[in-house]
Amino acid sequence: DIQMTQSPSTLSASVGDRVTITCRASQSITSWLAWYQQKPGKAPKLLIYEASDLESGAPSRFSGSGSGTEFTLTISSLQPDDFATYYCQQYNSYPLTFGGGTKVEIK
Amino acid sequence: EVQLLESGGGFVQPGGSLRLSCAASGFTFSSYAMSWVRQAPGKGLEWVSAISGSGGSTYYADSVQGRFTISRDNSKNTVYLQMNSLRGEDTAVYYCAKGAPTTVFDSWGQGNPVTVSS
């Protein structure tokens, strides 16, 4: 199984900050990586797929990069609506696996 | 508008069974794979099972293999998760998710709590 490791697990930031979250795969997944945002009590929302493609309707301040085993999600200017937990997910092979999550908190 | 409406969750004793349903609308159901993803209280997301659009291929996480069965009825636009031999560690909110088109999830249900406890 492919293990997905996110860092940091918690991140404290202020509105307007540039924020970067890292996701590492235990083996190469080429570009088969997605990012989701989840708020408490709500279902996750797809932000990024194929490592860097922005999902329709997702704000352009979100961007993704990387390939192989190292990936990043960047929020260019953190907005109040962005305080949430973010998950990466590999879809290179079954079983599909998620990272442990990164909680973005208000500083 | 895509809608996924889950039902069938609840409270069950260890060793018991439950069947979750997810009724879909707003898209051509048979053209898309569907998955179940769960989230234990205070924990992260865990993929559970997937089924192809035709229903001919199914996939399971090791943690549920042999106990859970995914199926779909394309005439009813519904996907199911039959859960047998339930354990305490199966306690979670269960989400159904639409594949885009297979293993990236662009739409999710509202979540269906399942509690396994004596």
Side-chain angles (χ1 to χ4, degrees):
Chain A
D1 298 4
I2 299 174
Q3 311 302 318
M4 305 301 293
T5 304
Q6 280 183 242
S7 60
S9 56
T10 306
L11 186 161
S12 295
S14 302
V15 172
D17 284 353
R18 182 180 181 88
V19 167
T20 299
I21 298 168
T22 298
C23 180
R24 289 186 174 86
S26 60
Q27 63 190 73
S28 177
I29 57 171
T30 59
S31 294
W32 303 122
L33 184 97
W35 290 97
Y36 300 86
Q37 176 194 67
Q38 187 181 34
K39 296 182 179 179
K42 301 293 187 182
K45 286 185 180 178
L46 177 63
L47 294 174
I48 301 283
Y49 61 95
E50 210 165 328
S52 60
D53 289 345
L54 189 68
E55 171 69 355
S56 175
S60 58
R61 61 183 178 273
F62 291 94
S63 64
S65 64
S67 65
T69 61
E70 286 228 11
F71 302 87
T72 58
L73 174 71
T74 300
I75 309 172
S76 60
S77 178
L78 197 65
Q79 298 302 301
D81 192 48
D82 302 337
F83 291 96
T85 301
Y86 294 84
Y87 294 93
C88 62
Q89 177 226 333
Q90 67 82 18
Y91 52 105
N92 180 78
S93 60
Y94 287 107
L96 309 179
T97 46
F98 290 88
T102 296
K103 186 175 182 180
V104 177
E105 298 181 327
I106 301 173
K107 191 172 187 180
Chain B
E1 180 192 3
V2 171
Q3 291 196 356
L4 301 172
L5 188 60
E6 298 142 352
S7 60
F11 186 95
V12 63
Q13 292 189 333
S17 298
L18 277 178
R19 188 176 84 154
L20 304 182
S21 300
C22 174
S25 61
F27 63 102
T28 305
F29 183 68
S30 60
S31 295
Y32 295 89
M34 298 293 294
S35 278
W36 290 93
V37 177
R38 68 185 181 183
Q39 187 168 36
K43 302 297 184 183
L45 301 170
E46 179 188 17
W47 171 80
V48 173
S49 183
I51 187 167
S52 62
S54 67
S57 297
T58 57
Y59 307 88
Y60 297 93
D62 290 346
S63 57
V64 306
Q65 179 78 50
R67 300 187 300 124
F68 290 11
T69 302
I70 192 170
S71 61
R72 65 191 296 159
D73 185 338
N74 286 346
S75 69
K76 295 182 178 178
N77 286 2
T78 301
V79 61
Y80 305 96
L81 186 68
Q82 177 68 43
M83 304 186 295
N84 298 331
S85 303
L86 282 161
R87 307 166 179 166
E89 54 264 38
D90 296 318
T91 294
V93 173
Y94 285 73
Y95 296 98
C96 70
K98 169 184 168 288
T102 54
T103 47
V104 176
F105 309 125
D106 64 353
S107 296
W108 297 65
Q110 80 281 7
N112 201 349
V114 170
T115 302
V116 183
S117 177
S118 56

